[in-house]
Structure formats: structure tokens, C-alpha cells
Amino acid sequence: MFNSIEKLMVLIPSLPLAATFVTAILGKRWLKERSHWPALVCIFAAFLVSLRLLSLVADESTRPGVAGFERTVSLGNWVVVEDAIKVDGVTRDFAVDIALRSDPLTAIMLSMVTFVATLVVVYASGYMHGDSGYWRFFTYVSLFVFSMTMLVSVSNFLLLYVFWEAVGVCSYLLIGFWFEKPEAAAAGKKAFLVNRIGDFGFAIGIFLIFVTYGTLNFHNTAGSAGEPTVIGILGPERLAANDYVAGIIGTAIPLLLFVGACGKSAQFPLHVWLPDAMEGPTPVSALIHAATMVTAGVYMVTRCTPLYAMSDIALITVSSIGGFTALLAGLIALTQTDLKRVMAYSTVSQLGYMFLGLGTGLLGGVTGAMFHLFTHAFFKALLFLGAGSVMHAMHHVIDMRRFSGLRHIMPWTHWTFWAGCLALAGVFPFAGFFSKDMILGAVHDKAHDHAAAFHFGYSLLYYSGLFTAFLTAFYTFRALFLTFFGPLKTPAEAHHPHESPRSMTVPLAILAVCAFLVGWVGELWHGYTLLWHTPSLTAGAVAETASPLLTAHRGLTMHFDVAAMSTVVALAGIGLAAFMYLGKKTEAEQVAEFTSTRRGLWGYKLSLNKFYFDEIYQALFVLPLRGLAALSYLVDRYVIDAFVNFCGWVPRSVGLLLRSLQTGMVQFYAMAMVLGMLVLLGSLRLANLFGNS
């Protein structure tokens, strides 16, 4: 069984789904405080199976003569509508296969998701201990992991959309897990609604794919009796011939798909939901930011790289939005005082880096983006869980102005947090150094290719990326120094502050080791080159963009000039943070000096208030829509309801009038008949008189 790729593909999502049902059925009454065990056992087993799948895929992909490896297992048909559409003069069915796809991209994503999720479950067993919704939390987490494993495994755009929505529902349930808190309920609703905006564009893009290509399957499918095989969107024949539409349609499809990615991966202008998601439990934040929901957009764009390669406009749009979001989130993170919120804006910024690389359309850029997604999962999970450890010790206080010097009482959290900060800042030899510089190197190549479209725009994006690297180092170490250095200070709520239990510190230690090692795995052991055997990156326009540096050196693929420059700016950011927060002057004095000028105050307030995006959206969208809703209520209540009530009142009133004639007295009826007859005869007589005259 464990040598069959097809069976492993089915088993991986089945395990967390089984944990979901077991915990939902048995958790409240029987499992109770042991409700984490089904999730832990099943997700860890899914991780082991994912490693086996990765091993088999790597063996198959790297065989001599194999250009791109994929394996698809069909579990049946979900929908079949005969003669649904005509494409190129051929009438085709609308057929949706329940099919799972295994290739290097899928195998890498499955291994990363299940590994991080396993550590998050271990951590959450200590963090959530004693919570009244303990069983419900692990039910949602198991469902979340199942949805994400299915999202990266399915081989069809419609099923991709189904599980795209499923992870959105799970994030809503987990962000608003403590729904009795108004802030948590509002944050969950905000995340759900903002993502619906992006998903609307995503759905339209899927419709456009179907009417353009006549299929939604990634893989080839057999036609009806006597009909030829239907070539999938990522079918080998289509990839080899680069048979994708260009022009307006070829630009509209990737841009509409990218609207969905902006929602899921919190890119401008749909980035506003992710920082508010901090209202959920910290393990949820780590899971969302590191391994599940926000990585879905990056995965989808990577999967659809051949579609993006057909449009220079789509590519520069992806890079521009990514670069701008990275810079914007970095500027906002500079002044935030909530430790988890700093990490949240850091996630938005790092996701922007990934899209910056994807938008180059180069094999090095796409590889760098996915490599950064992989390394980011480990050090961002580490930083969020470290922030949760601080929050646990400080009795849920997370404002950095209210505590300091915690290295004295939380040594494990302190040292592991160092590893996460160094990796996030991109300091050699930690993981972020290798993956971030691959992205910057690809943007550098694009900027210096004068034959490429928009090369000047990529040049601006390159320098913007370097400046963002400086900001990243500064705000990351600002958070580290404010939290763990200075005189020991704890809030009054924390009566007995202490290091977190082993169930929380062991995952931190494992992630700290990973934050150091995974960069070397990718760089020296060529781990990321496995991604090049994904069919959509092996054939077609993307494969042709491999730079000589990538093809000549399967190991050290970095641009040393870019690496040197990014290292200098990262060290400069760390140095400035040390000067401001470890020097003789306090933070308050530094900020007071900065804001003593009008320009300084203006810039500080812009960053502190997140550039007023929430207020702008409130004024431009929320309040007008509320006004429209109020107007609609008034029209419905006093116009439509009034008209309907009037229509009901008329026959009732006529009935009341006629009811008065029903007295039950025979004499009255006889007199009424006589009077009626007299009136009738009189009317006839008058009519005759006027008629003769």
C-alpha cells in the first residue's frame, strides 16, 4: 500500500477527515480534555504518509528521461452534463471528475502543511488546556487540515474552488472561535466577507476558463464514445505546445484568478482582514499564517503559471501588487504595539514577496516564491507560537509596552524567538536568507533584461524589495528587543509569569531548528530543484526562462551581489533597531523626538493607524452600504409592505361593507328586494326618456 502513489494520495486527506468526525462525535461527551488525540494521531500519520509520497514522487521525477512527473487518480464523476458547450466547433460535455493529482508541487505542499499542523496541534494541546470549547477547537483544526490537503491535491478548477471555500469557512470558524468576544466575532465576519469579494473574481475566472478551453480538469480525460481525448488545462500536450490563449481573454483569466489570490493571501487591497484575524487563538494564527489559508493563493498562482506566462500585463500586475503590499505592510508593522499584529503584518509583507517573485514569470522567480513559502512556514509558525508563549505567560496581554526583559523568565521562548527573527530578517545562514534572495535575484534578472516588457517597472520593484528587507529586519528586531530585553516588567494580570509547558516549548525548539536547516536543505541538497519537475514548470514558456545561473549550478543558485546587498540592508535594519531600543534612550524618547516635527508626526500616525484603510473602507463601502440597507428597509417596510397591506385591506373593507347587509331578518331582505326593483325600474324609465329625447 505504501508503495502506491494513488493509495497514498487518497489516504493523506482521509486521515484528518477521520479525526474531524471522531472528535465531533466523541469529543464533547467522552474525549473531553483528550480531544486533541484524534487530531494529533491522524495529522501526524498524514505527515508520515506525505513524506512517503514525497519520496516516491522524487524518485519518479528524477529518473533519466523524465521531464515532468504527474499521477492522477480518479474517484468518479461528480457532475456530467452532456453537450454543455461548443469549443472550436466541437460540442463537449461539462464533466467534473473527483480526481486527485500528485506531482512535486503537491507533494511538497502536503509535507509542509501536515508537518506544521502536527506541531500546531501539539502546541495547542497546552495552549488551549481548560478551554470550554476544547473538543470543538480540534474538530475545526482537523477539518481545516483536511480542506487544505484537498485544495492542493485536487485536479480540477471546480473542486479547487470548493475547497478554496472550505478553508475560508474553517478560518471563519477558528478566527471567531471565542465568539462571545465581540472583537473575535467581528474579525471572523470581516475575514469571511472580504474573502467573498476575492472569491467572486475567482469564480468568474473559472467560468471564463471553461468557456475558453471547454474543460476545468487539470489532467487529460477520455472523451465520450467515439470522441477524442479532452486535453486538460495542464495536460502535457497543451504544455508542450504552449496552447494557451493570449490577448484580452489571456489577460482576463489570470487577473480574475489573481483577485481570488488577493483575498486568500491578503494582498492589497484585500489585505485588511488578516491582521484582525489575531483575535482567534494563537495556534489558529500560526496555522493560518504558516501552512493553510494564506498560502492557498500563492499555490494557486504557481499551479496556473502557464496561464500567467501568456500575459505580460498579468505578470507585472502580480509583481506590482506583491511588491506594493510587501512595502505597505512593512511600513505599518514599524509602529504596531501588539506583538501578534506585528507578526500578522509581517505575513502580509512576506506573501507580497512571494507574489513579487511569481510575477517575474521566470523559473527562478516561481521557484524562489515557492521556496520562500516553504521556509516561511517554519519561521512564521515559530514566531506566532513564540508570541503565543509570551501571551500565555502574560495572562493574554500582548501589548509590548506592558512587558519587557522576558528573557530572564522565558529562556526557551527567548532563544527560539531569536531563530525566527533571524530567519525572517534574512540573515545568513538562516532559511529566509536563501529563499528571499532567490526572489530578489529573479526580479534583478527581469529588471536587467532590456528585451523584457516593463523591465523598468521591475527595476523599481527590485529596489522596493530591498527597502522592504530593511523594514523587515527593523520591525522584527524591534519586537524582539521590546519583548525580551530591558528591565524585567510584567503586567499586573500575570501573577506568576513563567516559561510555557513542554507541550508548547518543544514545538518551538523543533521549529527553531527547522528555521535554520530548511534553507540549507534547499540550497546545498538541491531540495527546491524537485519543484522543476512539476509539469507546468517543466514544459512551455516558463521552462524556457531558466537562467544560465540556474541551469549551470544545481546548488548555489544565488546572485552573490544581490545576496550581499540584501544582507547589508538587513544588518542595517537590525543595527537601527538595536540603536533605538537597546541604547540609553527609551522607546518613548525616540518616538517623541521623531514625532516632534510635523512630518514625523504625520508619518508616524499613518503607520500607527494602518494608513487608515479601515476608515477609508468604512467611509467608501461600509457606511454607504449600511445606508442603502437602511433605505431598502424603509422602502420595504413603508412602500412595498404598505402596498401589499393595502391590497389586502381593500377586499376586507368591501367585505365589511357587505357584511352589514347580512342582518338575518327576512322582512329586511324583502324590503331591500323591493327597493332594488324600484331603483332598477326607475333607472330603466329614465334611460328610455333620455333615449327618446
Side-chain angles (χ1 to χ4, degrees):
M1 174 180 180
F2 291 100
N3 290 320
S4 170
I5 291 178
E6 291 82 359
K7 291 180 180 179
L8 296 179
M9 291 162 57
V10 177
L11 183 59
I12 291 170
S14 299
L15 287 167
L17 181 62
T20 302
F21 285 116
V22 170
T23 311
I25 295 171
L26 304 179
K28 186 175 183 179
R29 178 169 296 183
W30 288 287
L31 294 176
K32 297 180 181 178
E33 69 276 3
R34 296 183 295 275
S35 294
H36 61 280
W37 279 109
L40 178 58
V41 171
C42 290
I43 295 175
F44 179 65
F47 166 62
L48 296 179
V49 176
S50 298
L51 285 183
R52 179 57 180 162
L53 177 66
L54 181 62
S55 173
L56 293 177
V57 169
D59 290 342
E60 294 289 339
S61 300
T62 54
R63 285 184 177 180
V66 176
F69 174 79
E70 64 173 315
R71 188 72 57 82
T72 304
V73 54
S74 179
L75 304 179
N77 292 324
W78 182 22
V79 178
V80 177
V81 179
E82 296 182 352
D83 301 332
I85 193 172
K86 181 177 287 187
V87 179
D88 297 330
V90 179
T91 301
R92 295 182 180 177
D93 300 339
F94 174 64
V96 178
D97 292 344
I98 303 176
L100 302 180
R101 175 190 185 90
S102 182
D103 58 21
L105 176 59
T106 299
I108 290 171
M109 287 293 295
L110 287 173
S111 300
M112 180 271 290
V113 169
T114 52
F115 176 72
V116 174
T118 299
L119 294 180
V120 168
V121 169
V122 174
Y123 180 94
S125 65
Y127 186 90
M128 299 296 293
H129 181 72
D131 193 283
S132 59
Y134 194 74
W135 67 274
R136 182 166 53 91
F137 176 84
F138 287 101
T139 301
Y140 293 162
V141 167
S142 301
L143 182 61
F144 205 177
V145 176
F146 161 72
S147 301
M148 189 63 193
T149 55
M150 285 297 292
L151 187 150
V152 301
S153 299
V154 294
S155 187
N156 181 284
F157 271 108
L158 189 58
L159 285 176
L160 174 64
Y161 185 80
V162 168
F163 290 103
W164 187 272
E165 295 299 324
V167 296
V169 171
C170 293
S171 67
Y172 166 75
L173 294 172
L174 286 167
I175 293 170
F177 180 77
W178 289 320
F179 54 84
E180 66 276 4
K181 290 174 54 181
E183 297 84 0
K189 183 169 64 176
K190 183 177 182 180
F192 190 79
L193 293 176
V194 171
N195 272 274
R196 299 291 71 72
I197 299 171
D199 295 350
F200 178 71
F202 189 43
I204 296 176
I206 292 175
F207 293 151
L208 194 55
I209 287 173
F210 179 67
V211 300
T212 302
Y213 296 101
T215 182
L216 291 177
N217 290 324
F218 297 158
H219 57 283
N220 294 346
T221 52
S224 303
E227 294 185 359
T229 298
V230 179
I231 305 300
I233 305 299
L234 301 176
E237 299 85 356
R238 192 185 301 279
L239 289 169
N242 200 30
D243 185 20
Y244 296 96
V245 298
I248 296 176
I249 299 298
T251 299
I253 288 174
L255 287 180
L256 287 168
L257 296 179
F258 183 59
V259 172
C262 284
K264 274 290 178 291
S265 295
Q267 296 297 284
F268 174 84
L270 302 180
H271 65 285
V272 293
W273 69 269
L274 190 56
D276 289 351
M278 299 304 97
E279 295 296 338
T282 297
V284 172
S285 302
L287 197 59
I288 290 176
H289 287 251
T292 53
M293 183 164 170
V294 298
T295 64
V298 179
Y299 161 79
M300 185 271 294
V301 174
T302 304
R303 177 67 76 191
C304 299
T305 296
L307 296 172
Y308 283 85
M310 299 304 297
S311 172
D312 291 329
I313 294 176
L315 288 174
I316 189 62
T317 300
V318 172
S319 273
S320 298
I321 294 295
F324 178 76
T325 304
L327 178 60
L328 175 69
L331 290 171
I332 295 175
L334 293 176
T335 58
Q336 301 305 304
T337 58
D338 184 308
L339 180 57
K340 286 177 64 178
R341 196 170 291 271
V342 173
M343 296 300 111
Y345 278 108
S346 171
T347 298
V348 176
S349 183
Q350 297 305 303
L351 289 166
Y353 260 118
M354 298 172 204
F355 285 111
L356 176 62
L358 291 172
T360 62
L362 305 177
L363 181 60
V366 176
T367 304
M370 283 305 301
F371 187 26
H372 197 52
L373 182 148
F374 183 75
T375 60
H376 177 265
F378 297 102
F379 61 73
K380 187 49 62 69
L382 169 60
L383 289 171
F384 265 110
L385 297 183
S389 181
V390 171
M391 192 173 179
H392 183 267
M394 298 296 105
H395 197 71
H396 298 287
V397 173
I398 200 65
D399 189 338
M400 292 183 290
R401 295 170 297 186
R402 300 188 59 192
F403 50 73
S404 63
L406 300 187
R407 71 183 190 279
H408 301 294
I409 56 176
M410 305 183 69
W412 278 99
T413 303
H414 166 235
W415 287 114
T416 55
F417 208 85
W418 262 101
C421 290
L422 290 168
L424 176 57
V427 176
F428 180 84
F430 287 83
F433 168 79
F434 300 101
S435 56
K436 180 192 66 178
D437 285 352
M438 282 191 69
I439 294 173
L440 291 176
V443 180
H444 180 272
D445 285 346
K446 194 78 170 182
H448 287 79
D449 182 5
H450 297 288
F454 307 108
H455 68 88
F456 180 73
Y458 286 104
S459 180
L460 294 177
L461 289 170
Y462 170 69
Y463 290 108
S464 173
L466 284 177
F467 182 61
T468 303
F470 168 79
L471 297 178
T472 302
F474 177 80
Y475 68 67
T476 302
F477 277 84
R478 169 181 176 266
L480 174 70
F481 295 148
L482 287 176
T483 302
F484 294 101
F485 287 81
L488 178 62
K489 181 177 68 172
T490 59
E493 296 90 333
H495 301 294
H496 302 287
H498 57 277
E499 182 61 276
S500 299
R502 287 187 178 181
S503 60
M504 296 170 66
T505 55
V506 169
L508 292 178
I510 295 173
L511 288 169
V513 173
C514 291
F516 177 77
L517 289 181
V518 291
W520 292 102
V521 170
E523 196 63 37
L524 294 183
W525 288 279
H526 326 318
Y528 61 79
T529 59
L530 177 63
L531 190 67
W532 298 352
H533 296 278
T534 303
S536 55
L537 302 181
T538 301
V542 180
E544 298 172 359
T545 64
S547 69
L549 188 63
L550 282 175
T551 54
H553 303 285
R554 308 289 285 189
L556 295 174
T557 57
M558 69 183 70
H559 292 65
F560 287 100
D561 54 342
V562 174
M565 182 66 72
S566 65
T567 299
V568 169
V569 298
L571 293 177
I574 296 172
L576 180 60
F579 172 76
M580 289 189 66
Y581 302 108
L582 296 182
K584 295 180 180 180
K585 294 184 179 180
T586 64
E587 178 194 6
E589 292 172 333
Q590 298 284 354
V591 172
E593 288 184 5
F594 177 71
T595 57
S596 60
T597 64
R598 182 175 298 178
R599 289 184 180 180
L601 179 61
W602 179 75
Y604 177 80
K605 284 189 174 181
L606 273 179
S607 174
L608 184 63
N609 292 287
K610 299 162 285 188
F611 286 84
Y612 298 97
F613 274 104
D614 286 331
E615 290 79 3
I616 292 172
Y617 287 176
Q618 187 82 7
L620 291 181
F621 301 108
V622 177
L623 291 180
L625 288 174
R626 282 183 177 175
L628 179 62
L631 179 62
S632 300
Y633 170 78
L634 293 175
V635 171
D636 181 66
R637 182 75 174 82
Y638 296 105
V639 177
I640 297 176
D641 276 3
F643 177 74
V644 172
N645 292 337
F646 175 76
C647 293
W649 176 82
V650 169
R652 185 178 65 179
S653 300
V654 173
L656 288 173
L657 179 64
L658 295 176
R659 187 186 302 170
S660 62
L661 301 178
Q662 302 294 322
T663 63
M665 298 178 64
V666 177
Q667 299 91 328
F668 175 79
Y669 295 153
M671 182 181 69
M673 292 173 62
V674 171
L675 290 176
M677 184 62 70
L678 292 175
V679 171
L680 179 60
L681 292 174
S683 300
L684 292 173
R685 179 60 180 167
L686 290 174
N688 289 332
L689 289 176
F690 285 108
N692 293 332
S693 61

